[in-house]
């Protein structure tokens, strides 16, 4: 029980410390205008932008889910981290200068400037539904499950509340995390979110690297260098999603036929989804709209790209370490691998610190999504449909009220997600439905001058319908890789809009006017820094590439074969 008290006290201390420092830094900020509340008064500098971008991206479904994928598939799953660098370079070079030139607060607002109000309304509604029904409840649910697993919360609470069921604990943690996140987002605005993200980011990166360090040391029976030697010799077998026994390629950056990310998909669905996420996803890029200048925004985005190159160290490598430490029977489900590794390798006195870091990741994703949801509602629907003559204070207040409604709904929905057996796959599937059509429309908006609003509106609606139908009606996964399917839909939407623009163009070409919102002088080293990051991506992939796996065929289930994680004789599994 003493260990539980130490962990709980350190959790409360570090969380309160971040809250106090955030208040101290932002207490004099003006939050009574839409620009002040939703865009931090356009005052964010590059360290805050980079820190907020990174931690908004990091969440429990990523820490747990990506390491779980590494436990099953090895290093090839690093594509989600490393390929993201390409998208961030594209953001710095191409997307951000054009967004900041427009002086916009939201992506749908840009689409109204480029097309018309119908396209903006459709995009607003798609974003709002996706964030309120999918993203926010998902963050709360996976966050609560992660906290429960790391801290073993149930024994902590029972002396105070008596006998509790797992469902009771889940509901309690969901509501606690939800309320804390709401306070940050709804009372503090975007600058408070960005500052708390950056502070928590320091904790999270420290905690993530600690898990990797202690995990490697455990592989070497307490000696870090012996653990490195053991890592180099990892080999064995695992199971693919269909239950077939396949070879485990621990340190191959190339995904074979039995991987969840076959190498070819990097150039189709994976890159498209990454580009949407880092270049047009309101939840992520809102902090870049708040940049003090284009110079600060580009530096922040590229710094985030540099930090993403370190992502595999704490988002992939721990999963590979867990594969070596634990047998298949010890980890019943890949999603359990990371939590089990934390329990196995982290000293008790650091548990509270790491739990605080994980709580920071949960809060960052939640309050960032909540802030973006409020922004989309207030500036998109409320000001354009509900009260067109609203004052600045009324706009901000509408976002706060709507935010609390969404918080309560999310906290009620989140525990119900326990019925889904694969939360990570569910999230990826649902996200792809709106990722592709919105990114296709934004790309056409930026690259063309004559495509009118009608095809953009049709593409938004048709894209959502086509992908949802492919997933849920035709079960496209049985016929082709889902990432290739997403890429085909993406190309079809682009061609549809471009052909319409040729046959029935706008009467006049669209002119991209400068809103004079920020100084648009670019950072002088933007191109050089971007090239260096792209070269590093290629070097990382080449350093771990073994293309022989491309000759492997898709393995089918073998009911007679035992399923175990095998490690070579040179690796001595430490005592648990």
């Amino acid at each position: 029980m003493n260990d539980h008290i130490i962990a709980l006290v350190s959790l409360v201390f570090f969380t309160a410390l971040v809250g106090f420092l955030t208040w101290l830094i932002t207490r004099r900020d003006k939050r009574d205008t839409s620009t002040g509340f939703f865009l931090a008064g356009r005052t964010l500098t590059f360290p805050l932008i980079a820190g907020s971008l990174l931690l908004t991206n990091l969440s429990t479904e990523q820490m747990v889910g990506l390491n779980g994928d590494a436990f099953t598939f090895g290093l090839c799953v690093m594509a989600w981290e490393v390929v993201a660098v390409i998208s961030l370079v594209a953001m710095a070079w191409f997307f951000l200068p054009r967004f900041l030139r427009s002086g916009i607060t939201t992506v749908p607002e840009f689409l109204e400037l480029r097309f018309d109000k119908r396209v903006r309304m459709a995009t607003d509604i798609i974003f709002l539904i996706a964030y309120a029904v999918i993203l926010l409840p998902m963050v709360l649910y996976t966050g609560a499950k992660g906290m429960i697993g790391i801290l073993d919360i149930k024994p902590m609470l029972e002396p105070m509340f008596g006998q509790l069921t797992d469902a009771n604990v889940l509901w309690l943690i969901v509501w606690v995390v939800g309320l804390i996140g709401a306070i940050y987002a709804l009372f503090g605005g975007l600058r408070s979110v960005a500052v708390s993200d950056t502070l928590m980011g320091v904790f999270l990166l420290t905690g993530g690297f600690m898990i990797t360090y202690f995990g490697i040391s455990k592989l070497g029976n307490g000696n870090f260098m012996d653990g490195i030697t053991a890592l180099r010799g990892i080999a064995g077998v695992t199971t693919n999603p269909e239950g077939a026994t396949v070879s485990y390629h621990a340190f191959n950056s190339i995904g074979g036929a039995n991987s969840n990310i076959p190498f070819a998909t990097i150039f189709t669905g994976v890159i498209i989804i990454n580009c949407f996420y880092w270049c047009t996803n309101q939840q992520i890029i809102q902090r870049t709209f708040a940049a003090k200048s284009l110079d600060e925004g580009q530096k922040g985005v590229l710094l985030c790209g540099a930090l993403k190159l370190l992502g595999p160290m704490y988002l992939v490598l721990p999963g590979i370490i867990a594969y070596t430490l634990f047998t298949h029977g010890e980890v019943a489900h890949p999603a359990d691998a990371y939590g089990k590794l934390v329990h196995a390798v982290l000293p008790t006195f650091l548990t509270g610190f790491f739990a605080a870091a994980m709580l920071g990741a949960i809060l960052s994703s939640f309050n960032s999504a909540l802030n973006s949801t409020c922004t989309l509602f207030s500036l998109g629907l409320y000001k354009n449909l509900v009260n067109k003559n609203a004052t600045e204070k009324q706009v901000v207040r509408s976002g706060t009220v709507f935010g609390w409604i969404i918080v309560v709904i999310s906290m009620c929905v989140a525990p119900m997600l326990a019925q889904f057996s694969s939360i990570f796959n569910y999230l990826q599937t649902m996200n792809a439905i709106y990722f592709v059509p919105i990114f296709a429309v934004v790309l056409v908006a930026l690259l063309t001058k004559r495509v009118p609003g009608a095809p953009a509106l049709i593409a938004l609606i048709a894209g959502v319908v086509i992908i949802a139908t492919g997933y849920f009606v035709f079960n496209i996964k049985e016929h082709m890789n889902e990432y290739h399917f997403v890429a085909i839909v993406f190309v079809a939407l682009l061609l549809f809009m471009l052909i319409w623009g040729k046959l029935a163009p706008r009467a006049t070409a669209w002119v991209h006017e400068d809103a004079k919102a920020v100084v648009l002088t670019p950072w002088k080293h933007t191109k050089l820094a971007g090239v260096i990051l792209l070269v590093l991506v290629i070097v990382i992939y080449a350093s771990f590439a073994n293309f022989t796996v491309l000759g492997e065929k898709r393995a089918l289930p073998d009911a007679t074969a035992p399923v175990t994680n095998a490690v070579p004789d040179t690796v001595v599994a430490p005592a648990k």
Side-chain angles (χ1 to χ4, degrees):
M1 187 62 190
N2 288 335
D3 289 344
H4 287 153
I5 293 175
I6 292 172
L8 189 59
V9 169
S10 57
L11 166 63
V12 173
F13 170 77
F14 284 113
T15 304
L17 177 63
V18 170
F20 173 72
L21 292 175
T22 300
W23 170 81
L24 195 64
I25 294 170
T26 65
R27 68 188 187 282
R28 294 190 177 91
D29 290 354
K30 294 181 179 180
R31 305 185 183 94
D32 55 353
T33 66
S34 57
T35 300
F37 187 81
F38 298 119
L39 287 184
R42 299 191 190 275
T43 60
L44 295 190
T45 54
F46 79 92
L48 291 178
I49 293 171
S52 190
L53 281 172
L54 186 69
L55 199 62
T56 299
N57 169 242
L58 285 178
S59 57
T60 45
E61 65 263 23
Q62 191 179 25
M63 297 285 284
V64 172
L66 200 54
N67 275 303
D69 281 353
F71 178 83
T72 304
F73 302 107
L75 187 66
C76 66
V77 303
M78 75 174 186
W80 293 114
E81 288 298 295
V82 178
V83 174
V85 178
I86 300 174
S87 304
L88 285 161
V89 171
M91 179 63 174
W93 282 357
F94 178 76
F95 289 90
L96 186 59
R98 288 158 178 79
F99 286 147
L100 291 182
R101 181 182 182 84
S102 303
I104 56 173
T105 306
T106 69
V107 171
E109 184 182 348
F110 171 75
L111 294 179
E112 180 182 6
L113 291 175
R114 172 60 182 84
F115 295 116
D116 54 46
K117 272 193 175 181
R118 298 172 303 165
V119 178
R120 176 178 183 167
M121 291 298 132
T123 312
D124 271 324
I125 292 171
I126 291 171
F127 266 129
L128 283 172
I129 293 174
Y131 288 171
V133 178
I134 301 171
L135 181 60
L136 287 169
M138 186 69 65
V139 170
L140 285 179
Y141 171 75
T142 55
K145 292 291 285 184
M147 294 298 295
I148 291 169
I150 291 171
L151 286 176
D152 195 17
I153 287 177
K154 192 174 178 182
M156 292 184 186
L157 298 177
E158 286 185 337
M160 294 180 284
F161 298 100
Q163 191 70 27
L164 295 172
T165 65
D166 291 341
N168 295 148
V169 177
L170 179 61
W171 275 90
L172 178 62
I173 301 304
V174 161
W175 277 71
V176 169
V177 173
L179 290 173
I180 294 174
I183 290 170
Y184 272 117
L186 300 180
F187 289 123
L190 182 63
R191 181 167 161 80
S192 293
V193 170
V195 171
S196 63
D197 283 355
T198 303
L199 294 173
M200 281 294 190
V202 175
F203 289 170
L204 186 65
L205 290 175
T206 303
F209 282 116
M210 280 196 311
I211 299 303
T212 302
Y213 172 79
F214 287 121
I216 294 175
S217 296
K218 182 120 182 169
L219 279 178
N221 290 316
N223 187 295
F224 182 80
M225 295 311 299
D226 286 348
I228 293 290
T229 302
L231 268 179
R232 292 174 180 169
I234 291 177
V237 296
T238 186
T239 56
N240 66 9
E242 286 75 34
T245 301
V246 297
S247 297
Y248 182 75
H249 302 285
F251 289 103
N252 189 0
S253 59
I254 307 301
N258 296 295
S259 165
N260 63 341
I261 307 180
F263 184 62
T265 63
I266 292 176
F267 306 98
T268 57
V270 172
I271 186 66
I272 292 170
I273 290 172
N274 259 298
C275 282
F276 166 85
Y277 187 86
W278 290 105
C279 301
T280 58
N281 187 2
Q282 181 68 31
Q283 175 206 5
I284 293 294
I285 67 173
Q286 185 167 332
R287 56 264 310 118
T288 66
F289 294 167
K292 187 176 182 179
S293 64
L294 176 59
D295 174 282
E296 293 291 326
Q298 288 176 320
K299 286 190 289 188
V301 169
L302 292 171
L303 176 58
C304 180
L307 294 173
K308 290 295 285 182
L309 290 175
L310 302 176
M313 296 291 291
Y314 54 90
L315 291 173
V316 177
L317 190 54
I320 297 173
I321 294 170
Y323 171 87
T324 308
L325 285 175
F326 310 122
T327 65
H328 182 81
E330 289 179 285
V331 179
H333 190 281
D336 298 330
Y338 190 69
K340 189 170 182 63
L341 181 68
V342 172
H343 278 298
V345 305
L346 194 66
T348 303
F349 69 92
L350 289 174
T351 302
F353 171 83
F354 188 72
M358 289 294 288
L359 179 60
I362 300 162
L363 292 177
S364 175
S365 295
F366 181 75
N367 57 31
S368 296
L370 182 59
N371 185 271
S372 295
T373 303
C374 296
T375 306
L376 290 165
F377 172 79
S378 297
L379 301 183
L381 299 185
Y382 179 78
K383 196 169 183 179
N384 284 287
L385 293 179
V386 180
N387 187 357
K388 295 182 179 180
N389 298 316
T391 64
E392 289 284 279
K393 287 186 177 181
Q394 287 176 320
V395 171
V396 173
R397 179 173 173 76
S398 73
T400 303
V401 173
F402 181 76
W404 279 111
I405 294 172
I406 291 299
V407 167
V408 172
I409 293 173
S410 300
M411 291 189 298
C412 291
V413 171
M416 300 178 188
L417 296 178
Q419 63 183 298
F420 294 100
S421 58
S422 180
I423 291 295
F424 190 72
N425 285 339
Y426 168 78
L427 177 62
Q428 292 298 90
T429 299
M430 297 301 289
N431 278 344
I433 294 173
Y434 72 98
F435 276 14
V436 169
I438 291 178
F439 183 58
V441 170
V442 171
L443 200 57
V444 167
L446 290 170
L447 291 175
T448 69
K449 305 291 185 182
R450 292 275 188 175
V451 175
L457 180 62
I458 294 171
L460 280 173
I461 299 171
V464 170
V465 172
I466 291 170
I467 296 174
T469 302
Y471 279 139
F472 303 120
V473 177
F474 295 107
N475 197 12
I476 197 69
K477 295 179 183 180
E478 291 186 355
H479 308 287
M480 65 186 303
N481 186 281
E482 62 183 294
Y483 297 123
H484 292 327
F485 168 67
V486 164
I488 290 171
V489 175
F490 176 74
V491 172
L493 294 177
L494 289 179
L495 290 175
F496 167 74
M497 288 183 281
L498 292 175
I499 291 172
W500 187 308
K502 275 290 185 183
L503 299 178
R506 287 171 52 127
T508 58
W510 176 65
V511 178
H512 195 174
E513 297 179 354
D514 185 356
K516 308 292 184 183
V518 298
V519 177
L520 292 178
T521 305
W523 182 39
K524 61 182 179 180
H525 299 304
T526 298
K527 290 185 178 179
L528 176 62
V531 169
I532 291 173
L533 289 176
L534 293 178
V535 170
L536 288 174
V537 169
I538 296 172
V539 169
I540 289 172
Y541 259 94
S543 299
F544 295 97
N546 179 356
F547 288 96
T548 59
V549 297
L550 298 182
E552 292 182 351
K553 294 183 179 180
R554 187 71 175 173
L556 298 176
D558 181 0
T560 63
V563 180
T564 59
N565 284 353
V567 295
D569 293 337
T570 55
V571 177
V572 179
K576 311 296 190 294

